[in-house]
Amino acid sequence: MEVDDDELIHFEAHGAAPLPPAAVDGHVAHDGARIWYASYGSGPPVILLHGGLGHSGNWGYQVPALLRRGRRVVLIDSRGHGRSTRDSRPYSYELMASDVLAVMDELRLDKAAVVGWSDGACIALILAMAAPSRVEGVFFFACNMDPSGTLEFVPTPVIDRCFSRHAKDYAALSTTPDDFNSFVEAVSLMMRTEPNYQASDLGLIRVPVAIVLGEHDEFIKPDHAEYLARSIPNAEMIYLTGVSHFAPLQRPGKFNVAVVNFLDDIGTRKNEDLRR
């Protein structure tokens, strides 16, 4: 049955759909933290990177859809989020990108496509810049790459419900369950001051990229998304109608179609290159 949770009422009460049993899960020690990961299924790998303050369970509607398409799905809790720990250093997107590479090394993944949501999208694009040989392509949903790309924050009931769910999940999953407020402060500081990439940096990206934005995104300026699509060679711009920053939860069917089409397209391109 198609999920329709535009107001995130179900998500606040229950979270996303439960994740299926993992083929393998665990932690990898990397650079002062223990990073949680899980791997599901077999086939061409795709890594899903969640948004700030969230965790991998927020992808509960996406994992089964990708498994049905014959994908190996890898989830990672960003450092300090979910089941992953952190040290005392400030958060940075570059550090979290290095954590993803550590998980890939642990799972012996030479290369993977990456789907990123909000902060996870920034991490994914940094991976494409820093380690292009490890990245098949990036589905970049709902994020900025410099401070000019964000809208002035306006609280809404939808944002409040998402925040409420994050607080509950942090208390249930974190090794420091009473530290949610300091966690929010530290992540928010990163969001206010990072990322800081220029068009010249984006122009060096050589992997397939889709810049994706919900029609009613509460945080990201549409003209910034379009600037990213113009600045990254051969990037495509995709708007998802009727949804906001929380599309994977609000209308997962619509979001999943866009993800699958992107992954299928880069798979086709790879096969064509191999035949040449």
Side-chain angles (χ1 to χ4, degrees):
M1 184 176 67
E2 177 60 37
V3 173
D4 183 343
D5 191 23
D6 289 350
E7 300 303 315
L8 297 191
I9 292 170
H10 182 275
F11 178 68
E12 181 186 23
H14 306 288
L19 294 170
V24 59
D25 64 4
H27 290 81
V28 60
H30 181 250
D31 207 353
R34 296 181 71 245
I35 307 301
W36 180 88
Y37 64 87
S39 178
Y40 306 80
S42 60
V46 55
I47 299 170
L48 307 185
L49 301 178
H50 62 80
L53 307 183
H55 65 98
S56 290
N58 298 154
W59 293 113
Y61 297 116
Q62 282 66 54
V63 173
L66 291 168
L67 292 176
R68 288 193 295 269
R69 298 292 294 189
R71 294 277 172 178
R72 178 182 182 182
V73 183
V74 175
L75 301 182
I76 300 172
D77 281 350
S78 294
R79 67 169 51 214
H81 295 64
R83 306 160 189 82
S84 294
T85 68
R86 64 178 291 229
D87 56 16
S88 61
R89 283 175 294 174
Y91 283 100
S92 82
Y93 294 111
E94 288 79 8
L95 185 54
M96 289 193 280
S98 74
D99 293 334
V100 175
L101 291 176
V103 171
M104 292 179 71
D105 290 343
E106 177 76 8
L107 293 175
R108 299 182 181 178
L109 291 178
D110 293 331
K111 202 168 189 176
V114 188
V115 175
W117 174 5
S118 196
D119 277 6
C122 178
I123 295 166
L125 212 51
I126 290 170
L127 276 175
M129 287 187 272
S133 65
R134 309 294 298 274
V135 179
E136 292 276 9
V138 173
F139 187 93
F140 179 99
F141 176 65
C143 199
N144 59 302
M145 290 304 290
D146 70 69
S148 73
T150 58
L151 297 164
E152 182 178 355
F153 176 70
V154 178
T156 70
V158 170
I159 293 172
D160 290 346
R161 291 185 191 108
C162 185
F163 188 81
S164 171
R165 183 74 249 170
H166 288 337
K168 294 172 188 174
D169 289 347
Y170 184 90
L173 298 173
S174 177
T175 59
T176 56
D178 298 324
D179 291 349
F180 183 70
N181 290 339
S182 59
F183 163 68
V184 172
E185 289 175 5
V187 174
S188 297
L189 175 62
M190 177 182 67
M191 292 177 179
R192 288 195 302 271
T193 57
E194 300 182 20
N196 287 286
Y197 290 91
Q198 306 303 313
S200 57
D201 303 311
L202 301 170
L204 299 175
I205 296 171
R206 290 295 181 267
V207 308
V209 175
I211 304 296
V212 189
L213 192 67
E215 179 184 10
H216 307 299
D217 195 286
E218 298 90 343
F219 301 102
I220 306 300
K221 296 176 180 177
D223 60 353
H224 182 76
E226 292 168 3
Y227 150 77
L228 295 179
R230 291 194 306 271
S231 301
I232 298 170
N234 301 312
E236 61 177 315
M237 181 73 222
I238 300 172
Y239 278 106
L240 299 180
T241 59
V243 292
S244 75
H245 197 77
F246 309 102
L249 301 166
Q250 293 170 318
R251 303 283 181 93
K254 176 175 288 190
F255 184 84
N256 295 349
V257 167
V259 169
V260 166
N261 286 345
F262 174 74
L263 295 176
D264 287 351
D265 182 57
I266 62 175
T268 299
R269 284 188 243 177
K270 178 181 177 181
N271 290 336
E272 289 175 350
D273 290 342
L274 290 173
R275 287 196 293 267
R276 288 173 185 164

